[in-house]
Amino acid sequence: MGIWLKHDVITIVNAPLDSVWNTWSDLNSMPLWMSWIESVKTVDQKTSTLPDLTEWTLAANGFKFKWKAQITERIEGQKLKWESIGGLPTKGSVIFDENNEVLTTVNLSVTYELPKMIARIMEENILGKMVTNELQANIDRFKNLVEKNYMSEQSNSTNV
């Protein structure tokens, strides 16, 4: 049994909820803004937007982990919860709060079990800070991607 670590990060995106949700829902683009995620593959496509079962590959600092994730709760445009069902033990949630028509708060919570082999070579608080900082950088890249795409859409619609 390893050590469970939880990380919470937040950002406010200058874009409407629909744009934020749609970008998050595009699992194929996650490696663009999640630096440690090498790939996300659909295993089971039960819905037209977010599949219920996906296979994730994380590659960071010489380590590579694979796991399958199952969506355990989906409230369209508001909340997603997931849990791994094999491989790296992980679970998490992302909550979207519409502040107004063009501001959306994104709360990401990720919990994972640190394998014993890594726990032996790294102190929990050092790794914890590193992962939290990386998740914050990822969610900030997500924010920048959404805002760039939204501004581009707005520019294109005014030029038409």
Side-chain angles (χ1 to χ4, degrees):
M1 196 51 101
I3 300 168
W4 282 89
L5 297 176
K6 182 178 182 197
H7 307 277
D8 296 297
V9 294
I10 188 170
T11 193
I12 298 175
V13 182
N14 188 9
L17 176 62
D18 286 348
S19 294
V20 176
W21 176 265
N22 289 339
T23 302
W24 191 280
S25 299
D26 181 8
L27 296 178
N28 291 331
S29 73
M30 280 197 172
L32 295 176
W33 54 270
M34 292 191 90
S35 62
W36 291 349
I37 299 300
E38 186 175 274
S39 66
V40 181
K41 296 178 184 170
T42 299
V43 176
D44 180 20
Q45 183 75 43
K46 288 186 181 176
T47 66
S48 61
T49 55
L50 289 162
D52 287 333
L53 187 61
T54 51
E55 183 177 85
W56 296 70
T57 302
L58 177 147
N61 302 321
F63 295 100
K64 192 176 237 182
F65 300 100
K66 286 189 178 215
W67 70 95
K68 289 182 181 167
Q70 178 77 45
I71 292 178
T72 58
E73 182 180 356
R74 178 189 292 116
I75 301 172
E76 195 74 21
Q78 294 177 23
K79 181 180 186 179
L80 285 172
K81 288 180 87 174
W82 63 87
E83 191 170 317
S84 64
I85 56 168
L88 183 68
T90 182
K91 56 187 169 185
S93 66
V94 60
I95 298 171
F96 304 88
D97 290 315
E98 185 175 39
N99 299 342
N100 61 41
E101 291 179 4
V102 291
L103 283 179
T104 305
T105 300
V106 180
N107 291 283
L108 174 63
S109 178
V110 176
T111 306
Y112 60 92
E113 186 177 18
L114 187 62
K116 285 182 183 179
M117 66 179 195
I118 296 175
R120 280 190 228 121
I121 60 173
M122 293 196 76
E123 290 185 41
E124 179 182 343
N125 60 348
I126 293 171
L127 181 64
K129 287 177 186 172
M130 183 178 76
V131 172
T132 297
N133 290 341
E134 187 60 31
L135 284 173
Q136 187 65 55
N138 287 336
I139 203 166
D140 290 342
R141 277 191 294 277
F142 171 77
K143 166 191 166 74
N144 293 337
L145 177 66
V146 174
E147 289 175 352
K148 179 182 168 193
N149 290 344
Y150 177 65
M151 294 306 270
S152 178
E153 289 169 11
Q154 294 302 100
S155 177
N156 289 340
S157 68
T158 58
N159 293 333
V160 175

